[in-house]
Amino acid sequence: GQQLNQSPQSMFIQEGEDVSMNCTSSSIFNTWLWYKQDPGEGPVLLIALYKAGELTSNGRLTAQFGITRKDSFLNISASIPSDVGIYFCAGPNNNAGNMLTFGGGTRLMVKP
Amino acid sequence: DGGITQSPKYLFRKEGQNVTLSCEQNLNHDAMYWYRQDPGQGLRLIYYSQIVNDFQKGDIAEGYSVSREKKESFPLTVTSAQKNPTAFYLCASRGRGAYEQYFGPGTRLTVT
């Protein structure tokens, strides 16, 4: 089946630093979704990407849909303590159509 | 306010008892999903339903059961046959024609 590989698995950064994480697949995806999960809560949709090459921002967050359609990137600028959480990428499971394949997540920790 | 609710937030049960987790949505979404998340892990699909009175097994359906009698509700029963039921359970829903899933706040189940 399709798999999404996220890296890094975890990162521990200083407040104010920029953050980059990515999501790669051996299969083509036609939509990329980025979610954030705060500790003990459900994931919240941050950004949705629908077109190869698309670059979309949501406040300090910017996500890009890779040109090859096999990867996507999420950047966070000037990190703050509330950025702590797990960031998941996801894409539609083309075999099933109406399900999502999720990456394993990137755990972000921010030191004040 | 539109959204997905899960109750209760925390649930404690004795081993050998069945327990039902509630999930309700007022987003008028057709599809609903149940996921399981273990500490430090990603999301694993238990069951999903694309329409009332119909549901399909996900990757880890053994020991679980669901029903979809109403569009708004998709309860999950964790049966005594589930060997390791302690986990964080997330419900999600999706609108027709969309890929994005929207999650509830989760229920943390502890079985001792």
Side-chain angles (χ1 to χ4, degrees), chain B residues 40-58:
Chain B
Q41 302 297 312
L43 306 176
R44 292 189 290 169
L45 183 65
I46 305 173
Y47 266 98
Y48 67 102
S49 167
Q50 298 194 67
I51 196 168
V52 173
N53 292 323
D54 186 51
F55 47 83
Q56 286 81 39
K57 293 180 179 180

Side-chain angles (χ1 to χ4, degrees), chain A residues 30-31 33 35 37 40-45 48 50 86 88 92 94 96-100 102-104 107, chain B residues 9 33 35 37 39-43 45 48 50 58 88 90 94 98-106 108:
Chain A
N30 55 23
T31 297
L33 306 173
Y35 290 87
Q37 184 178 28
E41 299 295 329
V44 173
L45 182 65
Y50 303 104
I86 305 175
F88 291 102
N94 293 330
N98 297 318
M99 292 193 295
L100 292 176
F102 286 87
R107 182 180 296 271
Chain B
K9 182 68 174 173
Y33 304 80
Y35 294 89
Q37 187 177 33
Q41 302 297 312
L43 306 176
L45 183 65
Y48 67 102
Q50 298 194 67
F88 190 51
L90 287 160
R94 177 182 61 81
Y99 290 122
E100 300 88 342
Q101 292 182 18
Y102 295 89
F103 287 84
R108 185 168 299 282

Side-chain angles (χ1 to χ4, degrees), chain A residues 27-80:
Chain A
S27 308
I28 287 174
F29 279 79
N30 55 23
T31 297
W32 288 92
L33 306 173
W34 283 94
Y35 290 87
K36 182 198 177 194
Q37 184 178 28
D38 287 334
E41 299 295 329
V44 173
L45 182 65
L46 297 173
I47 292 177
L49 302 161
Y50 303 104
K51 191 175 170 183
E54 181 180 354
L55 189 71
T56 297
S57 293
N58 178 4
R60 292 178 296 106
L61 277 62
T62 301
Q64 183 162 23
F65 192 142
I67 284 290
T68 65
R69 296 166 63 194
K70 293 184 178 181
D71 55 13
S72 180
F73 307 88
L74 178 69
N75 296 317
I76 305 173
S77 62
S79 58
I80 58 178

Side-chain angles (χ1 to χ4, degrees), chain B residues 9-76:
Chain B
K9 182 68 174 173
Y10 299 96
L11 194 52
F12 299 88
R13 280 294 182 269
K14 293 290 186 187
E15 194 174 323
Q17 294 179 335
N18 291 355
V19 58
T20 297
L21 281 60
S22 165
C23 178
E24 304 277 331
Q25 55 98 1
N26 61 3
L27 300 167
N28 199 33
H29 284 175
D30 289 318
M32 297 185 74
Y33 304 80
W34 275 105
Y35 294 89
R36 170 182 172 137
Q37 187 177 33
D38 292 288
Q41 302 297 312
L43 306 176
R44 292 189 290 169
L45 183 65
I46 305 173
Y47 266 98
Y48 67 102
S49 167
Q50 298 194 67
I51 196 168
V52 173
N53 292 323
D54 186 51
F55 47 83
Q56 286 81 39
K57 293 180 179 180
D59 300 319
I60 56 165
E62 186 176 347
Y64 300 98
S65 67
V66 293
S67 62
R68 187 86 186 276
E69 297 177 2
K70 297 187 300 181
K71 188 175 185 178
E72 302 80 16
S73 178
F74 191 40
L76 172 75

